Amino acid sequence: MSRRLFIFDAPDRFVSGTVGLPGSRTFFLQARKGRAVVSVALEKAQVAALAERLDELLTVVDDDHAPTPTEHGRPASAQRLEQALDQQPHHQPPLDQQPLDEPVAEAFRVGAMALAWDAEGERVVIEAQPQDESGDYVEAADDDEDGPDLMRVRIARDEARAFVQRTRGLIAAGRPPCPFCGQPLEATGHFCLALNGQQN
């Protein structure tokens, strides 16, 4: 089967989402541009790790873009920055709380991901590859027919922040933890090791 590349530069939408009830949810990354919609499945731990790594990357990028302090302790461009902020109202896009676009058809199950900052385009680049025996990310040019399938999205910083916020809410919306043993509470009941003397 020929290699499949799902490339989304400035997608209309890039979100994490789930299908199913807490305790049996399947997690997805989904990108949409125009009528093209691609969904890839992954584990809860993978999407949580992606959100955390993305948040760390944004922190580094924001620090690198911070104005350089002067000898007086004020940023060199503070006055110009303050004037620009006064003239331009803050615009934070509303958080996307909508479910995944239907139909949710799994293109592949994610095995490895890569995250990078495109300084020239000022975009976050997220890549996902399917599972393989090694579990490692495979470097391959787009024209390499022997490379693994690939989903790649390029999104702006504010879109990346919205992705992190939505994903954290998604993770928190799962089964609540038992206050005694920390294991997820099941809708059908919960055998708590702590209350049964199996844990200290």
Side-chain angles (χ1 to χ4, degrees):
M1 185 172 66
S2 61
R3 184 187 188 195
R4 299 176 300 167
L5 297 176
F6 306 107
I7 310 297
F8 291 87
D9 287 322
D12 298 330
R13 189 184 195 214
F14 177 64
V15 295
S16 57
T18 61
V19 173
L21 299 174
S24 60
R25 296 186 296 174
T26 301
F27 287 77
F28 290 92
L29 299 178
Q30 187 179 78
R32 170 171 54 82
K33 189 163 187 175
R35 295 185 177 181
V37 179
V38 174
S39 306
V40 295
L42 71 172
E43 299 297 326
K44 179 180 180 179
Q46 288 176 303
V47 73
L50 174 60
E52 292 309 309
R53 291 289 303 278
L54 188 50
D55 188 49
E56 293 170 3
L57 174 64
L58 291 170
T59 299
V60 172
V61 169
D62 288 344
D63 289 344
D64 288 345
H65 283 71
T68 304
T70 67
E71 60 183 3
H72 301 293
R74 278 179 57 82
S77 59
Q79 186 173 0
R80 291 193 302 273
L81 179 61
E82 289 165 1
Q83 290 173 347
L85 291 175
D86 288 340
Q87 295 171 1
Q88 297 181 359
H90 294 284
H91 174 67
Q92 179 66 32
L95 184 62
D96 184 345
Q97 299 282 23
Q98 298 301 310
L100 296 173
D101 291 319
E102 297 286 351
V104 181
E106 180 183 321
F108 60 78
R109 179 161 286 276
V110 175
M113 289 184 287
L115 186 62
W117 170 248
D118 175 8
E120 182 177 352
E122 293 199 350
R123 292 287 188 270
V124 174
V125 182
I126 302 167
E127 295 188 351
Q129 295 177 348
Q131 291 176 327
D132 68 1
E133 294 180 359
S134 70
D136 296 328
Y137 184 82
V138 178
E139 294 283 352
D142 288 355
D143 59 359
D144 184 352
E145 296 182 358
D146 295 327
D149 289 350
L150 178 73
M151 171 193 260
R152 177 189 299 135
V153 297
R154 295 176 185 268
I155 56 177
R157 277 188 282 176
D158 59 342
E159 295 169 322
R161 291 189 186 94
F163 176 90
V164 171
Q165 186 177 352
R166 174 183 169 112
T167 300
R168 285 175 170 167
L170 195 69
I171 299 299
R175 293 171 294 171
C178 171
F180 302 106
C181 70
Q183 295 299 312
L185 293 172
E186 302 287 349
T188 56
H190 173 66
F191 180 78
C192 180
L193 295 176
L195 289 181
N196 284 275
Q198 299 300 314
Q199 291 183 347
N200 294 326

